[in-house]
Coordinates of all heavy atoms in Angstrom, one line a residue:
Y107 N 11.0 -8.6 -8.5 CA 10.1 -7.6 -9.3 C 9.7 -8.2 -10.6 O 8.5 -8.2 -11.0 CB 10.9 -6.3 -9.4 CG 10.1 -5.2 -10.3 CD1 9.2 -4.4 -9.7 CD2 10.4 -5.1 -11.6 CE1 8.5 -3.5 -10.4 CE2 9.8 -4.1 -12.4 CZ 8.8 -3.3 -11.8 OH 8.2 -2.4 -12.5
E108 N 10.7 -8.7 -11.3 CA 10.4 -9.2 -12.7 C 9.6 -10.5 -12.6 O 8.8 -10.9 -13.5 CB 11.7 -9.5 -13.4 CG 12.4 -8.2 -13.7 CD 13.8 -8.4 -14.4 OE1 14.2 -9.6 -14.4 OE2 14.4 -7.4 -14.9
K109 N 9.8 -11.3 -11.5 CA 9.1 -12.6 -11.3 C 7.7 -12.4 -11.0 O 6.8 -13.2 -11.5 CB 9.9 -13.4 -10.3 CG 9.4 -14.9 -10.2 CD 10.3 -15.7 -9.3 CE 9.8 -17.1 -9.2 NZ 10.7 -17.9 -8.3
Y110 N 7.3 -11.5 -10.1 CA 6.0 -11.4 -9.6 C 5.2 -10.1 -10.0 O 4.0 -10.0 -9.6 CB 6.0 -11.4 -8.0 CG 6.5 -12.8 -7.5 CD1 7.8 -12.9 -7.0 CD2 5.7 -13.9 -7.5 CE1 8.3 -14.1 -6.5 CE2 6.1 -15.1 -7.0 CZ 7.5 -15.2 -6.5 OH 7.9 -16.4 -6.0
R111 N 5.8 -9.3 -10.8 CA 5.2 -8.0 -11.1 C 3.9 -8.3 -11.9 O 2.8 -7.8 -11.5 CB 6.1 -7.2 -12.0 CG 5.4 -5.9 -12.5 CD 6.4 -5.1 -13.4 NE 6.9 -6.0 -14.5 CZ 7.6 -5.5 -15.5 NH1 8.0 -4.2 -15.5 NH2 8.0 -6.3 -16.5
E112 N 3.9 -9.1 -12.9 CA 2.7 -9.4 -13.7 C 1.6 -10.1 -12.9 O 0.4 -9.8 -13.0 CB 3.1 -10.2 -15.0 CG 4.0 -9.4 -15.9 CD 3.3 -8.1 -16.4 OE1 2.1 -8.1 -16.6 OE2 4.1 -7.2 -16.7
S113 N 2.0 -11.1 -12.1 CA 1.1 -11.9 -11.4 C 0.3 -11.0 -10.4 O -0.9 -11.1 -10.2 CB 1.8 -13.0 -10.6 OG 2.4 -13.9 -11.6
L114 N 1.1 -10.1 -9.7 CA 0.4 -9.3 -8.7 C -0.5 -8.3 -9.3 O -1.5 -7.9 -8.8 CB 1.5 -8.6 -7.8 CG 2.2 -9.6 -6.8 CD1 3.4 -8.8 -6.1 CD2 1.3 -10.2 -5.8
R115 N 0.0 -7.8 -10.5 CA -0.9 -6.8 -11.2 C -2.2 -7.5 -11.6 O -3.3 -6.9 -11.5 CB -0.1 -6.3 -12.4 CG 0.9 -5.2 -12.1 CD 1.5 -4.7 -13.3 NE 2.4 -3.6 -13.0 CZ 3.2 -3.0 -13.9 NH1 3.1 -3.3 -15.2 NH2 4.0 -2.0 -13.6
S116 N -2.1 -8.7 -12.1 CA -3.3 -9.4 -12.6 C -4.2 -9.7 -11.4 O -5.4 -9.9 -11.6 CB -3.0 -10.7 -13.3 OG -2.3 -11.6 -12.5
G117 N -3.7 -9.8 -10.2 CA -4.5 -10.0 -9.1 C -5.1 -8.8 -8.5 O -5.7 -8.8 -7.4
G118 N -4.8 -7.7 -9.1 CA -5.5 -6.4 -8.6 C -4.8 -5.8 -7.4 O -5.4 -5.1 -6.7
V119 N -3.5 -6.2 -7.2 CA -2.8 -5.6 -6.0 C -1.6 -4.9 -6.4 O -0.5 -5.0 -5.9 CB -2.4 -6.8 -5.0 CG1 -3.7 -7.3 -4.3 CG2 -1.7 -7.9 -5.8
K120 N -1.7 -4.1 -7.5 CA -0.6 -3.4 -8.0 C 0.0 -2.4 -7.0 O 1.2 -2.1 -7.0 CB -1.1 -2.6 -9.2 CG 0.0 -1.7 -9.9 CD -0.6 -1.0 -11.1 CE 0.5 -0.1 -11.7 NZ -0.1 0.7 -12.8
S121 N -0.8 -1.9 -6.0 CA -0.3 -0.9 -5.1 C 0.8 -1.4 -4.2 O 1.6 -0.6 -3.7 CB -1.5 -0.4 -4.3 OG -2.0 -1.4 -3.5
V122 N 1.0 -2.7 -4.0 CA 2.0 -3.2 -3.2 C 3.4 -3.1 -3.8 O 4.4 -3.1 -3.1 CB 1.8 -4.7 -2.7 CG1 0.4 -4.8 -2.0 CG2 1.8 -5.6 -3.9
I123 N 3.4 -2.9 -5.1 CA 4.7 -2.7 -5.8 C 5.0 -1.2 -5.9 O 4.5 -0.6 -6.8 CB 4.7 -3.4 -7.2 CG1 4.4 -4.9 -7.1 CG2 6.1 -3.2 -7.8 CD1 4.3 -5.6 -8.4
R124 N 5.7 -0.7 -4.9 CA 5.9 0.7 -4.8 C 7.0 1.2 -5.6 O 7.1 2.4 -6.0 CB 6.1 1.1 -3.3 CG 5.0 0.8 -2.4 CD 3.9 1.8 -2.5 NE 4.4 3.1 -2.1 CZ 4.5 3.5 -0.8 NH1 4.2 2.7 0.2 NH2 5.0 4.7 -0.6
F125 N 8.0 0.3 -5.9 CA 9.3 0.7 -6.5 C 9.6 -0.1 -7.6 O 9.5 -1.4 -7.6 CB 10.4 0.7 -5.5 CG 10.2 1.5 -4.2 CD1 9.9 0.8 -3.1 CD2 10.3 2.8 -4.2 CE1 9.7 1.5 -1.8 CE2 10.1 3.5 -3.0 CZ 9.8 2.8 -1.8
A126 N 10.0 0.5 -8.7 CA 10.7 -0.2 -9.8 C 12.2 -0.3 -9.5 O 12.7 0.5 -8.7 CB 10.5 0.5 -11.2
P127 N 12.9 -1.2 -10.0 CA 14.4 -1.3 -9.7 C 15.1 0.0 -10.0 O 16.0 0.4 -9.2 CB 14.9 -2.4 -10.6 CG 13.7 -3.3 -10.8 CD 12.5 -2.4 -10.9
D128 N 14.7 0.7 -11.1 CA 15.4 1.9 -11.4 C 15.0 3.0 -10.3 O 15.8 3.9 -10.1 CB 15.0 2.4 -12.8 CG 15.5 1.6 -13.9 OD1 16.5 0.8 -13.6 OD2 15.1 1.6 -15.0
D129 N 13.8 2.9 -9.8 CA 13.5 3.8 -8.7 C 14.4 3.7 -7.5 O 14.8 4.7 -6.9 CB 12.0 3.6 -8.3 CG 11.0 3.9 -9.4 OD1 11.4 4.8 -10.2 OD2 9.9 3.3 -9.4
L130 N 14.6 2.4 -7.1 CA 15.5 2.2 -6.0 C 16.9 2.7 -6.3 O 17.6 3.3 -5.4 CB 15.6 0.7 -5.7 CG 14.3 0.0 -5.3 CD1 14.6 -1.5 -5.1 CD2 13.9 0.6 -3.9
Q131 N 17.4 2.5 -7.5 CA 18.7 3.1 -7.9 C 18.7 4.6 -7.8 O 19.7 5.1 -7.3 CB 19.0 2.6 -9.4 CG 20.4 3.0 -9.8 CD 21.4 2.1 -9.2 OE1 21.3 0.9 -9.4 NE2 22.4 2.7 -8.5
N132 N 17.6 5.2 -8.2 CA 17.6 6.7 -8.1 C 17.6 7.1 -6.6 O 18.2 8.1 -6.2 CB 16.4 7.2 -8.8 CG 16.5 7.0 -10.3 OD1 17.6 7.0 -10.8 ND2 15.3 7.0 -11.0
Y133 N 16.8 6.4 -5.8 CA 16.8 6.8 -4.4 C 18.2 6.7 -3.7 O 18.6 7.5 -3.0 CB 15.8 5.9 -3.6 CG 14.3 6.4 -3.7 CD1 13.4 5.7 -4.4 CD2 14.0 7.6 -3.1 CE1 12.1 6.1 -4.6 CE2 12.6 8.0 -3.2 CZ 11.7 7.3 -3.9 OH 10.4 7.8 -4.0
L134 N 18.8 5.6 -4.0 CA 20.2 5.4 -3.5 C 21.1 6.4 -4.0 O 22.0 6.9 -3.2 CB 20.7 4.0 -3.9 CG 20.0 2.8 -3.2 CD1 20.6 1.5 -3.8 CD2 20.2 2.8 -1.7
S135 N 20.9 6.9 -5.2 CA 21.8 7.9 -5.8 C 21.7 9.2 -5.0 O 22.6 10.0 -5.0 CB 21.5 8.1 -7.3 OG 21.8 6.9 -8.0
D136 N 20.5 9.4 -4.4 CA 20.3 10.7 -3.7 C 20.8 10.7 -2.3 O 20.8 11.7 -1.6 CB 18.8 11.0 -3.7 CG 18.3 11.4 -5.1 OD1 19.1 11.8 -5.9 OD2 17.1 11.3 -5.3

């Protein structure tokens, strides 16, 4: 996420990054 987030965003494909790490943590917590 930290390695490719900026690159993918600049390439106009932000939608493929559905989850931030904290989002995953929250989902697991539920």
Side-chain angles (χ1 to χ4, degrees):
Y107 177 82
E108 294 176 350
K109 186 172 183 179
Y110 293 102
R111 178 182 55 175
E112 295 300 329
S113 299
L114 289 175
R115 280 182 178 178
S116 62
V119 288
K120 180 182 178 182
S121 60
V122 300
I123 304 178
R124 300 279 301 276
F125 306 103
D128 290 343
D129 295 333
L130 295 178
Q131 186 73 56
N132 291 335
Y133 276 112
L134 291 175
S135 297
D136 290 337

